[in-house]
């Protein structure tokens, strides 16, 4: 376990040698409470073939990729601020059954979250905003990524798209997310190639409550600037939200934060 005594405001890690700032190869390692910064060509935390790693309460900025998991499983990554990375916020490659929750992935040059040939990961309750300086997106699923669940996240103002699926990704479920944009002209928050890779609603019907009323049904996502009727007042739209390569059959009437 590598843990700062105080907060990341007091414990700052900057590289003075070649290599990733933290390079983890041991199972059950924990990195917590650090400010990790200033390495344009190396990652802030790079985990290689290690399982059950915990990464939490770190502030990571101005590195290549903030957090990179390669061949690593059953990690918990939570309550990190990952900002202004020169490449990506977090990259899961050939890694499975990881939980990534309650993090901020903001203002990274390329992609906020990459799920790359990775399976059965849960990406939940994160802020994924303003990623991609020119031609990029908030989240990218590719190379056969399958069985991943993306829910409860807020995507906002990511360049081009908030979430993209391509290169024959398997079935992934995306629901109960907010897709937001400050520009009403940006209606196409998502893209999936040939309609494959993502199911844009929950895999099963869910119990949910709105305005002190209980409901049971499938849940999609909230798409800002998309308007549809709700004749039965179940807070799920009557018409699907259709975009390039896919559609959400159960678009939410209200933001998940309402």
């Amino acid at each position: 376990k590598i843990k700062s005594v105080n907060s990341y405001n007091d414990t700052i890690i900057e590289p003075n040698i070649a290599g990733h700032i933290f390079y983890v190869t041991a199972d059950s390692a924990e990195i917590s409470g650090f400010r990790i910064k200033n390495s344009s060509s190396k990652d802030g935390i790079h985990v290689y073939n290690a399982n059950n790693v915990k990464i939490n309460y770190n502030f990571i900025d101005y590195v290549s990729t903030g957090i990179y998991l390669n061949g690593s499983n059953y990690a918990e990554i939570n309550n990190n601020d990952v900002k202004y990375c020169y490449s990506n916020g977090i990259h899961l490659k050939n890694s499975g059954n990881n939980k990534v929750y309650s993090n901020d992935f903001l203002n990274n040059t390329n992609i906020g979250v990459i799920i790359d040939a990775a399976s059965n990961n849960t990406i939940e309750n994160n802020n994924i905003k303003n990623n991609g300086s020119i031609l990029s997106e908030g989240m990218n699923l590719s190379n056969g990524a399958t069985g991943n669940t993306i829910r409860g996240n807020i995507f906002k103002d990511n360049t081009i798209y908030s979430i993209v699926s391509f290169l024959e990704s398997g079935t992934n479920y995306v629901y109960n997310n907010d897709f937001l944009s400050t520009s009403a002209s940006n209606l196409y928050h998502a893209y999936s190639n040939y309609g494959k890779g993502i199911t844009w609603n929950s895999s099963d019907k869910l119990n949910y409550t709105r305005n002190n009323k209980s409901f049971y049904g499938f849940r999609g996502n909230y798409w800002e600037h998309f308007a549809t009727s709700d004749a039965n007042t179940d807070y799920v739209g009557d018409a699907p939200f259709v975009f390039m390569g896919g559609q959400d059959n159960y678009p939410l009437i209200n933001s998940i934060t309402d």
Side-chain angles (χ1 to χ4, degrees), residues 141 143-147 165 167-173 196-199:
L141 296 92
N143 297 323
T146 188
S165 169
L167 294 179
E168 303 301 331
S169 294
T171 300
N172 303 278
Y173 289 95
K196 298 180 180 180
I198 293 180
T199 298

Side-chain angles (χ1 to χ4, degrees), residues 126-166:
N126 302 283
N127 289 312
I128 304 170
K129 302 177 181 179
N130 296 299
N131 295 286
S133 60
I134 301 175
L135 296 174
S136 202
E137 56 265 3
M139 179 181 289
N140 181 296
L141 296 92
S142 62
N143 297 323
T146 188
N148 299 289
T149 299
I150 296 107
R151 64 189 177 206
N153 303 286
I154 298 175
F155 294 87
K156 185 175 182 180
D157 289 340
N158 296 287
T159 304
I160 308 299
Y161 297 103
S162 279
I163 185 167
V164 167
S165 169
F166 71 106

Side-chain angles (χ1 to χ4, degrees), residues 21-216:
I21 299 176
F22 282 100
Y23 186 64
V24 180
T25 58
D27 291 347
S28 302
E30 181 176 349
I31 298 174
S32 180
F34 292 98
R35 173 76 184 275
I36 303 167
K37 65 177 186 176
N38 294 345
S39 178
S40 61
S41 62
K42 300 297 180 179
D43 301 333
I45 300 173
H46 191 107
V47 183
Y48 182 74
N49 285 350
N51 299 320
N52 298 299
V53 171
K54 294 183 179 180
I55 300 170
N56 50 49
Y57 297 100
N58 300 288
F59 192 115
I60 306 171
D61 60 349
Y62 298 104
V63 298
S64 179
T65 290
I67 301 170
Y68 198 124
L69 267 62
N70 190 349
S72 301
N73 308 305
Y74 300 103
E76 287 195 19
I77 301 170
N78 63 284
N79 292 286
N80 300 283
D81 289 324
V82 184
K83 304 177 180 179
Y84 300 106
C85 294
Y86 296 108
S87 187
N88 310 301
I90 184 170
H91 190 151
L92 307 181
K93 182 177 178 64
N94 296 318
S95 299
N97 298 289
N98 300 290
K99 296 180 180 179
V100 180
Y101 61 94
S102 301
N103 303 281
D104 286 342
F105 299 108
L106 313 178
N107 299 293
N108 298 293
T109 299
N110 290 332
I111 301 171
V113 179
I114 297 180
I115 304 174
D116 175 9
S119 301
N120 304 315
N121 300 285
T122 299
I123 314 297
E124 186 171 21
N125 298 338
N126 302 283
N127 289 312
I128 304 170
K129 302 177 181 179
N130 296 299
N131 295 286
S133 60
I134 301 175
L135 296 174
S136 202
E137 56 265 3
M139 179 181 289
N140 181 296
L141 296 92
S142 62
N143 297 323
T146 188
N148 299 289
T149 299
I150 296 107
R151 64 189 177 206
N153 303 286
I154 298 175
F155 294 87
K156 185 175 182 180
D157 289 340
N158 296 287
T159 304
I160 308 299
Y161 297 103
S162 279
I163 185 167
V164 167
S165 169
F166 71 106
L167 294 179
E168 303 301 331
S169 294
T171 300
N172 303 278
Y173 289 95
V174 178
Y175 64 94
N176 273 350
N177 300 282
D178 274 359
F179 290 92
L180 310 176
S181 173
T182 55
S183 172
S185 63
N186 180 16
L187 296 179
Y188 300 101
H189 301 280
Y191 169 80
S192 58
N193 66 318
Y194 307 111
K196 298 180 180 180
I198 293 180
T199 298
W200 299 91
N201 53 259
S202 56
S203 58
D204 299 299
K205 291 183 177 181
L206 303 174
N207 292 301
Y208 62 97
T209 302
R210 281 291 185 181
N211 289 335
N212 297 317
K213 295 181 179 179
S214 296
F215 301 91
Y216 180 67

